[in-house]
Structures are given as structure tokens and as C-alpha cells.
Amino acid sequence: MSDIKVRAKLDGTETVVKCLISHPMENGLRKDAKTGELVPAHFIEEVVCKWKGEVVLTASWSGGVSKNPYLSFKFLGGAAGDPVEITWKDNLGQSQSETAPIS
């Protein structure tokens, strides 16, 4: 099961994509309240959105993005039933993908 929730909806000639990504997004500067030790950096570095295999968005992120980030954007084109895929990769080499049809 993916930690990405994706919705894509056709709005005239545009497709509106909204997604919520479950991720800790630690910047490496916060101290653990119990130990006082720095919490290691763990954040998403890249988010890619594809529509029918074509890249429509690439976002480069860093530790400045909040925990469980929400992303919303639009692109021209798309039709009901077309697949929209969101993929993220983080600084620890982890990644996830989720695909949803345009409604």
C-alpha cells in the first residue's frame, strides 16, 4: 500500500491533480526532546508526475517542506480514465509511486 493519496479531475481543458504524501520530512536540524540528539535528515528530494507516461511536473524539494506534504497543480490535457502517476524519491534512497485515473 502506498503512502500517497492522489486525485485527478478534469476541469474543462485542464486536469487538476491533488495529492497528499505521508512522509516525516525531517530537515536534520530538530533535536529529539528526550535525548537532545539531532534527528537525522529524512526528506523528499524529488516528486515527478506523469500523465500517460509523459512527465508533466518535476518538483525538487528539500528539508524546508513540512511533514506529510500536500501538492496541487494543473496541466493542460487529459481525459477521463487517463492514468496520472505520482512518484517521490527521498534523500535515503526510498521511493514510492501511486497511480490514479482522471475522473
Side-chain angles (χ1 to χ4, degrees):
M1 180 174 204
S2 175
D3 292 328
I4 307 172
K5 294 180 182 175
V6 182
R7 288 196 179 153
K9 189 172 185 176
L10 202 54
D11 184 12
T13 60
E14 295 179 327
T15 298
V16 179
V17 180
K18 298 178 181 182
C19 64
L20 181 63
I21 303 170
S22 295
H23 195 280
M25 297 299 286
E26 288 291 347
N27 63 13
L29 302 175
R30 187 177 66 84
K31 290 186 180 181
D32 183 283
K34 293 181 181 178
T35 66
E37 302 272 329
L38 286 177
V39 176
H42 185 198
F43 55 86
I44 294 172
E45 293 182 315
E46 183 180 63
V47 179
V48 176
C49 178
K50 293 181 181 179
W51 161 58
K52 295 187 344 183
E54 178 185 339
V55 175
V56 293
L57 173 91
T58 301
S60 297
W61 288 355
S62 67
V65 176
S66 68
K67 179 180 178 178
N68 301 326
Y70 171 78
L71 175 66
S72 178
F73 62 94
K74 299 175 184 179
F75 66 90
L76 289 175
D82 285 353
V84 173
E85 178 186 20
I86 302 287
T87 302
W88 62 256
K89 296 177 186 172
D90 69 19
N91 67 316
L92 301 181
Q94 298 171 337
S95 66
Q96 279 193 351
S97 293
E98 184 64 47
T99 303
I102 296 174
S103 61

